[in-house]
Amino acid sequence: MLFERFLKSIGRVVLRELRNLGSMFIFLFNALVHIFIPPFKFKQLLRQIWFLGNKSILVILLTGSFTGMVLALQIFYTLSKFGSEALLGPAVALSLIRELGPVLSALMVTGRAGSALTAEIGIMRITEQIDALLSMALSPIRYLVVPNIVASLIVFPLLGAIFDLIGIFGGYVVGVKLLGLSSGTYFSKMDEFIDMEDITIGFVKSLTFGLIVAWVCCYKGYNTGYGAKGVSKATTEAVVLSSILILVWDYFIGSVWV
Amino acid sequence: MIEIIDLRKSFDGIEVLRGVNLVINDRELMVIIGKSGVGKSVLLKHLIGLYRPDSGKILIDGSDIVQTCGKKEVCRLRERFGVLFQGGALFDSLTVFENVAFPLQEKTKLPKRVIQERVSEALEDVGLSGIENKYPAELSGGMRKRVALARALITEPSIVLFDEPTTGLDPISMHAIHRLIVRTHKKYRFTGIVISHDIPQVFEIADRVAMLHDGIIVEVGLPEEIQNSENPIVKQFITGSLEGPIKVMD
């Protein structure tokens, strides 16, 4: 009897989560289809590029430079044990381009802009602005979701690249100015160790992270619960789920594309 | 004509609408009254297809909106409606002008100049000329409702739904909104459905009044018939008495 009740409750949870997952994928499919159906909302797209991209640059510059600096410190310490300090530049650059740049920039944008995105769409839901769009026979997906998805696909790779650049420069400051490595040593081996595939991996990661963040944050905002509590819950869920998916997807890409 | 036939809707096992039957004639102003939380707004949202009922029919000039599943057909039906939502539902990021012009810009190919004229006229109709460049956050509650009304009427819809248009307003603003509804109804000759619990003011604006209680329409009639009703539920609601068949939460 107790076991049966236990199984039932597990079944209920599994069914509920499967339903949520299904509804998330239908939402994504709808949004992706709408990307290619005119009319295109260029004004909204530009606004979202500005909101997601331009307003995130300061955060990316700060986190990118300190990530590069701390990376240089740690890698220098490890390399010095093997007498290979000369490889500091390529090691910092490789770590940033393949891994840390796309992941950390995506996590930072999720915290700064993803949460705001969920809250904005969530508030539009609870103040009936989404219902107003529907009542005018207009698609909220086209107005609210598509511009965010397209903007994220453009902005995330660019922010990832900025993160990489500033991180490499941060590593340069620590390696060359503080730890006494020569500037030529830091940069010289980079083009030898980094090839186009490393840059492509970083680019694909940023691109897919952009899709994940825009998808999850828009979905959570669009399906927010009632009142301020509902919006705050949706915002938290959006940030947590986006962050987890970024790390899981990062591992997945990393493991199939070595 | 709008015919609502045996409309039922439950949320999480709780039956909100338990078989609503109501006929709204062309060009009449029907006011639906009832206690808060009885499902008046839910009923209204069924009319534009924002909710799908568990069972029942909603016929608009003979075509059933419930059975309309094609996106284009739903859009065509919705284009006949104008809706004034409870809080106005103005878009925060747009100015008053952009809000009112929005349905025209998105749904028609009218030239800019014509849209500008139509918006000015609509704002004049609601007594709000000269605030085109303000944002909704800069307006009072009453002004927001007026702008929302201008937006609802800009496409000259044949059916206009008013979801508690005076909620949260002071008595003077409330009176002004009621007068505005009557004036615009006379001017545009739309079929109007007003959800309200402003007793007795609604009796002055309504052609007919229906009372929703416990998920069904308990009485429909002319304002004076409702005011003189012997139905204990209607009587209690109109007088605002605490004693009677309507349960009052302590």
Side-chain angles (χ1 to χ4, degrees), chain A residues 163-239:
Chain A
F163 192 100
D164 294 344
L165 273 179
I166 197 75
I168 291 170
F169 181 72
Y172 168 84
V173 169
V174 169
V176 177
K177 303 288 175 195
L178 296 181
L179 301 172
L181 214 66
S182 83
S183 155
T185 313
Y186 185 79
F187 284 113
S188 66
K189 291 204 184 304
M190 270 190 201
D191 64 331
E192 197 182 307
F193 282 92
I194 296 164
D195 47 39
M196 202 55 205
E197 202 189 351
D198 298 316
I199 295 170
T200 311
I201 289 179
F203 175 76
V204 170
K205 279 184 178 176
S206 285
L207 202 70
T208 45
F209 293 159
L211 181 67
I212 288 171
V213 172
W215 168 37
V216 171
C217 292
C218 289
Y219 175 82
K220 288 290 176 186
Y222 197 82
N223 293 288
T224 194
Y226 296 106
K229 209 174 167 187
V231 176
S232 81
K233 187 168 170 260
T235 310
T236 309
E237 281 177 1
V239 173

Coordinates of all heavy atoms in Angstrom, one line a residue, chain A residues 163-239:
Chain A
F163 N 35.1 38.6 -24.0 CA 35.5 38.0 -22.7 C 36.9 37.4 -23.0 O 37.8 37.5 -22.2 CB 34.5 37.0 -22.3 CG 34.7 36.4 -20.9 CD1 33.9 36.9 -19.9 CD2 35.7 35.5 -20.7 CE1 34.1 36.4 -18.6 CE2 35.8 34.9 -19.4 CZ 35.1 35.4 -18.3
D164 N 37.0 36.6 -24.1 CA 38.3 36.0 -24.4 C 39.4 37.0 -24.5 O 40.5 36.8 -24.0 CB 38.2 35.2 -25.8 CG 37.2 34.0 -25.7 OD1 36.9 33.6 -24.5 OD2 36.8 33.5 -26.7
L165 N 39.2 38.0 -25.3 CA 40.2 39.0 -25.6 C 40.7 39.7 -24.3 O 41.9 39.8 -24.0 CB 39.6 40.1 -26.5 CG 39.8 39.8 -28.0 CD1 39.2 40.9 -28.8 CD2 41.3 39.6 -28.4
I166 N 39.7 40.2 -23.5 CA 40.1 40.9 -22.3 C 40.7 39.9 -21.3 O 41.6 40.3 -20.5 CB 38.8 41.6 -21.7 CG1 39.3 42.7 -20.7 CG2 37.8 40.7 -21.1 CD1 39.8 43.9 -21.4
G167 N 40.3 38.7 -21.3 CA 40.9 37.6 -20.4 C 42.3 37.4 -20.8 O 43.2 37.3 -19.9
I168 N 42.6 37.3 -22.1 CA 44.0 37.1 -22.5 C 44.8 38.3 -22.1 O 46.0 38.2 -21.7 CB 44.0 36.9 -24.1 CG1 43.4 35.5 -24.4 CG2 45.5 36.9 -24.6 CD1 43.1 35.3 -25.9
F169 N 44.3 39.5 -22.2 CA 45.0 40.7 -21.8 C 45.2 40.7 -20.3 O 46.3 41.1 -19.8 CB 44.2 41.9 -22.3 CG 44.9 43.2 -21.9 CD1 46.0 43.6 -22.6 CD2 44.4 44.0 -20.8 CE1 46.7 44.8 -22.2 CE2 45.1 45.2 -20.5 CZ 46.2 45.6 -21.2
G170 N 44.2 40.2 -19.5 CA 44.4 40.1 -18.1 C 45.5 39.2 -17.7 O 46.3 39.4 -16.8
G171 N 45.5 38.1 -18.5 CA 46.6 37.1 -18.3 C 48.0 37.7 -18.6 O 49.0 37.4 -17.9
Y172 N 48.0 38.5 -19.6 CA 49.2 39.2 -20.0 C 49.7 40.1 -18.9 O 50.9 40.1 -18.6 CB 48.9 40.0 -21.3 CG 50.0 41.0 -21.7 CD1 51.1 40.6 -22.4 CD2 49.9 42.3 -21.3 CE1 52.1 41.4 -22.8 CE2 50.9 43.2 -21.7 CZ 52.0 42.8 -22.4 OH 53.0 43.7 -22.8
V173 N 48.8 40.9 -18.3 CA 49.1 41.8 -17.2 C 49.8 41.0 -16.1 O 50.9 41.4 -15.6 CB 47.9 42.6 -16.7 CG1 48.2 43.4 -15.5 CG2 47.4 43.5 -17.8
V174 N 49.2 39.9 -15.7 CA 49.7 39.1 -14.6 C 51.0 38.4 -15.0 O 52.1 38.5 -14.3 CB 48.7 38.1 -14.1 CG1 49.3 37.1 -13.1 CG2 47.6 38.8 -13.4
G175 N 51.0 37.8 -16.1 CA 52.2 37.0 -16.6 C 53.4 37.9 -16.9 O 54.5 37.6 -16.5
V176 N 53.2 38.9 -17.6 CA 54.3 39.8 -18.1 C 54.6 40.8 -17.1 O 55.8 41.0 -16.7 CB 53.9 40.4 -19.4 CG1 55.0 41.3 -19.9 CG2 53.7 39.3 -20.5
K177 N 53.6 41.6 -16.6 CA 53.9 42.7 -15.7 C 54.2 42.3 -14.3 O 55.0 42.9 -13.6 CB 52.8 43.7 -15.7 CG 52.4 44.3 -17.1 CD 53.5 45.2 -17.6 CE 53.2 45.7 -19.1 NZ 54.3 46.3 -19.7
L178 N 53.6 41.3 -13.8 CA 53.8 40.9 -12.4 C 54.7 39.7 -12.2 O 55.5 39.7 -11.3 CB 52.4 40.5 -11.7 CG 51.4 41.6 -11.6 CD1 50.1 41.1 -10.9 CD2 51.9 42.8 -10.8
L179 N 54.6 38.7 -13.1 CA 55.5 37.5 -12.9 C 56.7 37.5 -13.7 O 57.5 36.6 -13.7 CB 54.6 36.3 -13.2 CG 53.4 36.2 -12.3 CD1 52.5 35.0 -12.8 CD2 53.7 35.9 -10.9
G180 N 56.9 38.5 -14.5 CA 58.2 38.7 -15.2 C 58.4 38.0 -16.5 O 59.6 37.9 -17.0
L181 N 57.4 37.4 -17.0 CA 57.5 36.7 -18.3 C 57.7 37.8 -19.4 O 57.2 38.8 -19.3 CB 56.2 35.9 -18.6 CG 56.3 34.6 -19.3 CD1 57.1 33.6 -18.5 CD2 54.9 34.1 -19.6
S182 N 58.4 37.4 -20.5 CA 58.6 38.4 -21.5 C 57.3 38.4 -22.4 O 56.6 37.4 -22.6 CB 59.8 38.1 -22.4 OG 59.5 37.2 -23.4
S183 N 57.0 39.6 -22.9 CA 55.8 39.8 -23.7 C 55.8 38.9 -25.0 O 54.8 38.3 -25.4 CB 55.8 41.3 -24.1 OG 55.0 41.5 -25.2
G184 N 57.0 38.8 -25.6 CA 57.1 37.9 -26.8 C 56.8 36.5 -26.4 O 56.1 35.8 -27.2
T185 N 57.3 36.0 -25.3 CA 57.0 34.6 -24.9 C 55.5 34.4 -24.7 O 55.0 33.3 -25.1 CB 57.8 34.3 -23.6 OG1 59.1 34.7 -23.7 CG2 57.7 32.8 -23.2
Y186 N 54.9 35.4 -24.1 CA 53.4 35.2 -23.8 C 52.6 35.0 -25.1 O 51.7 34.2 -25.1 CB 52.9 36.4 -23.0 CG 51.5 36.3 -22.5 CD1 51.2 35.5 -21.4 CD2 50.5 36.9 -23.2 CE1 49.9 35.4 -21.0 CE2 49.2 36.8 -22.8 CZ 48.9 36.1 -21.7 OH 47.6 36.0 -21.3
F187 N 52.9 35.8 -26.1 CA 52.1 35.8 -27.3 C 52.6 34.9 -28.3 O 51.8 34.4 -29.1 CB 52.0 37.2 -27.9 CG 51.1 38.1 -27.1 CD1 51.5 39.2 -26.4 CD2 49.7 37.8 -27.0 CE1 50.7 40.0 -25.7 CE2 48.8 38.6 -26.3 CZ 49.3 39.7 -25.6
S188 N 53.9 34.6 -28.3 CA 54.5 33.9 -29.5 C 53.9 32.6 -29.8 O 53.7 32.2 -31.0 CB 56.0 33.8 -29.4 OG 56.3 33.0 -28.3
K189 N 53.7 31.8 -28.8 CA 53.2 30.4 -29.1 C 51.7 30.3 -29.3 O 51.2 29.2 -29.5 CB 53.7 29.5 -28.0 CG 55.2 29.3 -28.0 CD 55.6 28.0 -27.3 CE 57.1 27.8 -27.2 NZ 57.9 27.9 -28.4
M190 N 51.0 31.4 -29.1 CA 49.5 31.3 -29.2 C 49.1 30.8 -30.6 O 48.2 29.9 -30.6 CB 48.9 32.7 -28.9 CG 48.6 32.9 -27.5 SD 47.7 34.4 -27.3 CE 48.0 34.7 -25.6
D191 N 49.6 31.3 -31.6 CA 49.1 30.9 -33.0 C 49.5 29.5 -33.3 O 49.0 28.9 -34.1 CB 49.5 31.9 -34.0 CG 51.0 32.0 -34.2 OD1 51.7 31.7 -33.2 OD2 51.5 32.3 -35.3
E192 N 50.5 29.0 -32.6 CA 51.0 27.7 -32.8 C 50.1 26.7 -32.1 O 49.8 25.6 -32.7 CB 52.4 27.5 -32.2 CG 53.2 26.3 -32.7 CD 54.5 26.3 -32.0 OE1 55.3 27.3 -32.0 OE2 54.8 25.3 -31.4
F193 N 49.6 27.0 -31.0 CA 48.8 26.1 -30.2 C 47.2 26.2 -30.4 O 46.5 25.3 -30.1 CB 49.1 26.2 -28.7 CG 50.3 25.6 -28.3 CD1 51.5 26.3 -28.3 CD2 50.3 24.2 -27.9 CE1 52.7 25.6 -27.9 CE2 51.5 23.6 -27.6 CZ 52.7 24.3 -27.5
I194 N 46.8 27.4 -30.9 CA 45.4 27.6 -31.0 C 45.1 27.5 -32.5 O 45.6 28.3 -33.3 CB 45.0 29.0 -30.5 CG1 45.2 29.0 -29.0 CG2 43.5 29.2 -30.7 CD1 45.2 30.3 -28.4
D195 N 44.2 26.6 -32.9 CA 43.8 26.6 -34.3 C 42.3 27.0 -34.5 O 41.6 27.2 -33.5 CB 44.1 25.2 -35.0 CG 43.7 24.1 -34.1 OD1 42.6 24.2 -33.5 OD2 44.4 23.1 -34.0
M196 N 41.9 26.9 -35.7 CA 40.5 27.4 -36.0 C 39.5 26.6 -35.3 O 38.4 27.1 -34.9 CB 40.3 27.4 -37.5 CG 39.3 28.3 -38.0 SD 39.5 30.0 -37.5 CE 37.9 30.6 -37.5
E197 N 39.7 25.3 -35.1 CA 38.8 24.5 -34.4 C 38.4 24.9 -33.0 O 37.3 24.8 -32.6 CB 39.2 23.0 -34.5 CG 38.1 22.0 -34.3 CD 38.5 20.6 -34.1 OE1 39.7 20.3 -34.2 OE2 37.6 19.8 -33.8
D198 N 39.5 25.3 -32.3 CA 39.3 25.8 -30.9 C 38.3 27.0 -30.9 O 37.4 27.1 -30.1 CB 40.6 26.2 -30.3 CG 41.6 25.0 -30.2 OD1 41.1 24.0 -29.8 OD2 42.8 25.2 -30.6
I199 N 38.6 27.9 -31.9 CA 37.7 29.1 -32.0 C 36.3 28.7 -32.4 O 35.3 29.2 -31.8 CB 38.3 30.1 -33.0 CG1 39.7 30.6 -32.4 CG2 37.4 31.3 -33.2 CD1 40.5 31.4 -33.4
T200 N 36.2 27.7 -33.3 CA 34.9 27.3 -33.7 C 34.1 26.7 -32.5 O 32.9 27.0 -32.3 CB 35.0 26.2 -34.8 OG1 35.9 26.8 -35.8 CG2 33.6 25.9 -35.4
I201 N 34.8 25.9 -31.7 CA 34.1 25.3 -30.5 C 33.6 26.4 -29.6 O 32.4 26.3 -29.2 CB 35.1 24.4 -29.8 CG1 35.4 23.1 -30.6 CG2 34.5 24.0 -28.4 CD1 36.4 22.1 -29.9
G202 N 34.4 27.4 -29.4 CA 34.0 28.5 -28.5 C 32.8 29.2 -29.1 O 31.9 29.5 -28.4
F203 N 32.9 29.4 -30.4 CA 31.8 30.1 -31.1 C 30.5 29.3 -31.0 O 29.4 29.9 -30.6 CB 32.2 30.3 -32.5 CG 31.1 31.0 -33.4 CD1 30.8 32.3 -33.2 CD2 30.3 30.2 -34.3 CE1 29.8 32.9 -34.0 CE2 29.3 30.8 -35.0 CZ 29.0 32.1 -34.9
V204 N 30.6 28.0 -31.3 CA 29.3 27.2 -31.3 C 28.8 27.1 -29.8 O 27.6 27.2 -29.6 CB 29.7 25.7 -31.8 CG1 28.5 24.8 -31.5 CG2 30.0 25.8 -33.3
K205 N 29.7 27.0 -28.9 CA 29.2 27.0 -27.5 C 28.4 28.3 -27.2 O 27.3 28.3 -26.6 CB 30.4 26.9 -26.5 CG 30.9 25.4 -26.3 CD 32.0 25.4 -25.3 CE 32.4 23.9 -25.1 NZ 33.5 23.8 -24.2
S206 N 29.0 29.4 -27.5 CA 28.4 30.7 -27.2 C 27.0 30.8 -27.9 O 26.0 31.3 -27.3 CB 29.2 31.9 -27.7 OG 30.3 32.1 -26.8
L207 N 27.0 30.4 -29.1 CA 25.8 30.4 -29.9 C 24.7 29.6 -29.3 O 23.5 30.1 -29.1 CB 26.1 29.9 -31.3 CG 25.2 30.3 -32.5 CD1 25.3 31.8 -32.8 CD2 25.5 29.5 -33.7
T208 N 25.0 28.4 -28.9 CA 24.0 27.5 -28.3 C 23.6 28.0 -26.9 O 22.5 27.9 -26.5 CB 24.5 26.0 -28.2 OG1 25.8 26.0 -27.8 CG2 24.4 25.4 -29.6
F209 N 24.6 28.6 -26.2 CA 24.2 29.1 -24.8 C 23.2 30.3 -25.0 O 22.3 30.4 -24.2 CB 25.5 29.6 -24.1 CG 26.5 28.5 -23.7 CD1 27.8 28.8 -23.5 CD2 26.1 27.2 -23.6 CE1 28.7 27.8 -23.1 CE2 27.0 26.2 -23.2 CZ 28.3 26.5 -23.0
G210 N 23.4 31.0 -26.0 CA 22.5 32.2 -26.3 C 21.1 31.7 -26.5 O 20.1 32.2 -26.0
L211 N 21.0 30.6 -27.3 CA 19.7 30.0 -27.6 C 19.1 29.5 -26.3 O 17.9 29.7 -26.0 CB 19.8 28.9 -28.6 CG 18.5 28.2 -29.0 CD1 17.6 29.2 -29.7 CD2 18.8 27.0 -29.8
I212 N 19.9 28.8 -25.5 CA 19.4 28.2 -24.2 C 18.9 29.3 -23.3 O 17.8 29.2 -22.7 CB 20.5 27.4 -23.5 CG1 20.8 26.1 -24.3 CG2 20.1 27.1 -22.1 CD1 22.0 25.3 -23.8
V213 N 19.7 30.3 -23.1 CA 19.3 31.4 -22.1 C 18.0 32.1 -22.6 O 17.1 32.3 -21.8 CB 20.5 32.4 -21.9 CG1 20.0 33.6 -21.1 CG2 21.7 31.7 -21.3
A214 N 18.0 32.5 -23.9 CA 16.8 33.2 -24.4 C 15.6 32.3 -24.3 O 14.5 32.8 -23.8 CB 17.0 33.7 -25.8
W215 N 15.7 31.1 -24.6 CA 14.6 30.1 -24.6 C 14.1 29.9 -23.2 O 12.9 30.1 -22.9 CB 15.1 28.8 -25.2 CG 14.2 27.6 -25.0 CD1 12.8 27.6 -25.1 CD2 14.6 26.2 -24.8 NE1 12.4 26.3 -24.9 CE2 13.5 25.5 -24.7 CE3 15.9 25.6 -24.6 CZ2 13.5 24.1 -24.5 CZ3 15.9 24.3 -24.4 CH2 14.7 23.5 -24.3
V216 N 15.0 29.6 -22.3 CA 14.5 29.3 -20.9 C 13.9 30.6 -20.2 O 12.9 30.5 -19.6 CB 15.7 28.8 -20.0 CG1 15.3 28.7 -18.6 CG2 16.1 27.4 -20.6
C217 N 14.6 31.7 -20.4 CA 14.2 32.9 -19.7 C 12.8 33.4 -20.3 O 12.0 33.8 -19.5 CB 15.2 34.0 -19.8 SG 16.7 33.6 -18.9
C218 N 12.7 33.4 -21.6 CA 11.4 33.8 -22.2 C 10.3 32.8 -21.8 O 9.2 33.2 -21.4 CB 11.5 33.8 -23.7 SG 12.5 35.1 -24.3
Y219 N 10.6 31.5 -21.8 CA 9.6 30.5 -21.4 C 9.1 30.7 -20.0 O 7.9 30.7 -19.7 CB 10.1 29.1 -21.6 CG 9.2 28.0 -21.1 CD1 8.1 27.6 -22.0 CD2 9.3 27.5 -19.9 CE1 7.2 26.6 -21.5 CE2 8.4 26.5 -19.4 CZ 7.4 26.1 -20.3 OH 6.5 25.2 -19.8
K220 N 10.1 30.9 -19.1 CA 9.7 31.1 -17.7 C 8.9 32.3 -17.5 O 7.9 32.4 -16.7 CB 10.9 31.1 -16.8 CG 11.6 29.7 -16.7 CD 10.7 28.8 -15.8 CE 11.3 27.4 -15.8 NZ 10.4 26.4 -15.1
G221 N 9.3 33.4 -18.2 CA 8.5 34.7 -18.0 C 7.1 34.5 -18.6 O 6.1 35.0 -18.0
Y222 N 7.0 33.9 -19.8 CA 5.8 33.7 -20.5 C 4.8 32.9 -19.7 O 3.6 33.1 -19.7 CB 6.0 33.1 -21.8 CG 4.9 33.2 -22.8 CD1 4.8 34.4 -23.6 CD2 4.0 32.2 -23.0 CE1 3.8 34.5 -24.5 CE2 3.0 32.4 -23.9 CZ 2.9 33.5 -24.7 OH 1.9 33.6 -25.6
N223 N 5.3 31.9 -18.9 CA 4.4 31.0 -18.1 C 4.5 31.3 -16.6 O 4.5 30.4 -15.8 CB 4.8 29.6 -18.4 CG 4.5 29.2 -19.8 OD1 3.3 29.1 -20.2 ND2 5.5 29.1 -20.7
T224 N 4.7 32.6 -16.3 CA 4.9 32.9 -14.9 C 3.6 32.7 -14.1 O 2.5 32.7 -14.7 CB 5.3 34.4 -14.8 OG1 5.8 34.6 -13.5 CG2 4.2 35.4 -15.1
G225 N 3.7 32.6 -12.8 CA 2.6 32.4 -11.9 C 2.0 33.7 -11.6 O 2.3 34.8 -12.2
Y226 N 1.0 33.7 -10.6 CA 0.3 34.9 -10.3 C 1.1 35.9 -9.4 O 1.8 35.4 -8.5 CB -1.0 34.6 -9.6 CG -1.9 33.8 -10.5 CD1 -2.2 32.5 -10.3 CD2 -2.6 34.5 -11.6 CE1 -3.0 31.8 -11.2 CE2 -3.4 33.8 -12.4 CZ -3.6 32.4 -12.2 OH -4.4 31.7 -13.1
G227 N 1.0 37.1 -9.6 CA 1.5 38.2 -8.7 C 3.0 38.3 -8.6 O 3.7 37.6 -9.4
A228 N 3.5 39.1 -7.7 CA 4.9 39.3 -7.5 C 5.7 38.1 -7.2 O 6.8 37.8 -7.6 CB 5.1 40.4 -6.5
K229 N 5.0 37.2 -6.4 CA 5.6 36.0 -6.0 C 5.9 35.1 -7.2 O 6.9 34.4 -7.3 CB 4.7 35.2 -5.0 CG 5.5 34.4 -4.0 CD 4.5 33.8 -3.0 CE 5.2 32.7 -2.2 NZ 4.3 32.1 -1.3
G230 N 4.9 35.0 -8.1 CA 5.0 34.2 -9.3 C 6.2 34.7 -10.2 O 6.9 33.9 -10.7
V231 N 6.3 36.0 -10.3 CA 7.4 36.6 -11.1 C 8.7 36.3 -10.5 O 9.7 35.9 -11.2 CB 7.2 38.1 -11.3 CG1 8.4 38.7 -12.1 CG2 5.9 38.4 -12.1
S232 N 8.8 36.5 -9.2 CA 10.1 36.2 -8.5 C 10.5 34.7 -8.6 O 11.7 34.4 -8.9 CB 10.1 36.7 -7.1 OG 9.5 35.7 -6.3
K233 N 9.5 33.8 -8.5 CA 9.8 32.4 -8.6 C 10.2 32.1 -10.1 O 11.2 31.4 -10.3 CB 8.5 31.6 -8.3 CG 8.7 30.1 -8.2 CD 7.4 29.5 -7.6 CE 7.5 28.0 -7.8 NZ 6.8 27.4 -8.9
A234 N 9.5 32.7 -11.0 CA 9.9 32.4 -12.4 C 11.3 32.9 -12.7 O 12.1 32.2 -13.4 CB 8.9 33.1 -13.4
T235 N 11.7 34.1 -12.2 CA 13.0 34.7 -12.4 C 14.1 33.7 -11.8 O 15.1 33.5 -12.5 CB 13.1 36.1 -11.8 OG1 11.9 36.8 -12.2 CG2 14.3 36.8 -12.2
T236 N 13.9 33.3 -10.6 CA 14.8 32.4 -9.9 C 15.0 31.1 -10.8 O 16.1 30.7 -11.1 CB 14.4 32.0 -8.5 OG1 14.0 33.2 -7.8 CG2 15.4 31.3 -7.7
E237 N 13.8 30.5 -11.1 CA 13.9 29.3 -11.9 C 14.6 29.5 -13.2 O 15.4 28.6 -13.6 CB 12.4 28.8 -12.2 CG 11.8 28.1 -11.0 CD 10.4 27.7 -11.2 OE1 9.9 28.0 -12.4 OE2 9.8 27.2 -10.3
A238 N 14.4 30.6 -13.9 CA 15.0 30.9 -15.2 C 16.5 30.9 -15.0 O 17.2 30.3 -15.8 CB 14.5 32.2 -15.7
V239 N 17.0 31.6 -14.0 CA 18.4 31.8 -13.8 C 19.1 30.4 -13.5 O 20.1 30.0 -14.0 CB 18.8 32.9 -12.8 CG1 20.2 32.9 -12.5 CG2 18.3 34.2 -13.2

